[in-house]
């Protein structure tokens, strides 16, 4: 980077994404170690396990790379700053950062590419600046009578899969980051599940019919 970037606190949703990726990578490596040990003489099983693990780790790496770029942008870095650090062009960073889960709600489609414009980035930075744990705690106390955010999100998903952006819109009293963080926590706890990019649904119970996302 051409200059140091300081964050007042790690963005909550991105911190959850890092935790999810760390947990998933550990699971992948554990499964890989087991399969390559138990089936060391079976080249088909062994090779398939290694290939699958490699590509999944690569996918998680791309995911984390996009989130890292999103955090740098929230902290005040520019597209050229990131490009200089990564040895690429600012347009490459600009074209791919809209794929970040953290900045996706601020992205707009431009042809085949989803991008975060300067205006969208400023909105994201303003929202990030509002992420104050003390203020969030006061908001939670004020809304206690309506149930916690973790209680309210599953009610929105009762009718079927819903996009994260629509869940955020249905909870206007909560900050976007709080809703997305809670979604990530609920997914880790098994209360909800991701059924597509940015789409969540209640985890089907035994005997329930599976509802496909629209």
């Amino acid at each position: 980077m051409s200059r140091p970037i300081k964050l007042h606190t790690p963005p909550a949703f991105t911190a959850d994404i890092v935790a999810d990726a760390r947990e998933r990578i550990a699971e992948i490596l554990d499964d890989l170690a087991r399969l390559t040990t138990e089936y060391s003489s079976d080249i088909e099983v062994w090779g398939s396990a290694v290939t699958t693990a490699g590509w999944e780790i690569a996918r998680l790496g791309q995911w984390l790379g996009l989130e890292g770029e999103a955090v740098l942008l929230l902290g005040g870095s520019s597209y050229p700053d990131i490009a200089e650090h990564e040895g690429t062009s600012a347009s490459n960073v600009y074209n791919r950062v809209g794929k970040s889960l953290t900045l996706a709600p601020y992205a707009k489609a431009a042809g085949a590419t989803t991008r975060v414009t300067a205006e969208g980035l400023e909105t994201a930075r303003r929202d990030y600046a509002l992420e104050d744990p003390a203020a969030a705690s006061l908001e939670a106390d004020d809304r206690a009578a309506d149930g916690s955010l973790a209680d309210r999100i599953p009610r929105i998903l009762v009718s079927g899969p819903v996009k994260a952006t629509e869940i955020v819109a249905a909870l206007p009293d909560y900050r976007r980051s709080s809703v997305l963080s809670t979604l990530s926590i609920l997914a880790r706890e098994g209360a909800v599940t991701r059924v597509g990019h940015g789409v969540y649904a209640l985890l089907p119970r035994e005997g329930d019919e599976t509802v496909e996302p629209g």
Side-chain angles (χ1 to χ4, degrees), residues 2 33 35 37 64 81 83 100 109-111 129 133-134 140 147 151 154-155 161-162 203:
S2 58
L35 288 168
T37 299
L64 289 174
D81 287 334
S100 157
D151 293 329
R155 289 183 221 146
V162 180
L203 196 66

Side-chain angles (χ1 to χ4, degrees), residues 66 69 73 79-80 82-83 86 88-100 103 107-117:
L66 292 169
E69 291 175 350
L73 287 167
Y79 290 107
I82 297 172
E86 297 181 356
T88 185
S89 68
S91 61
N92 281 342
V93 179
Y94 178 59
N95 287 339
R96 72 190 178 214
V97 77
K99 298 176 184 176
S100 157
L103 291 182
K108 292 184 178 179
T113 306
T114 303
R115 297 169 173 168
V116 180
T117 64

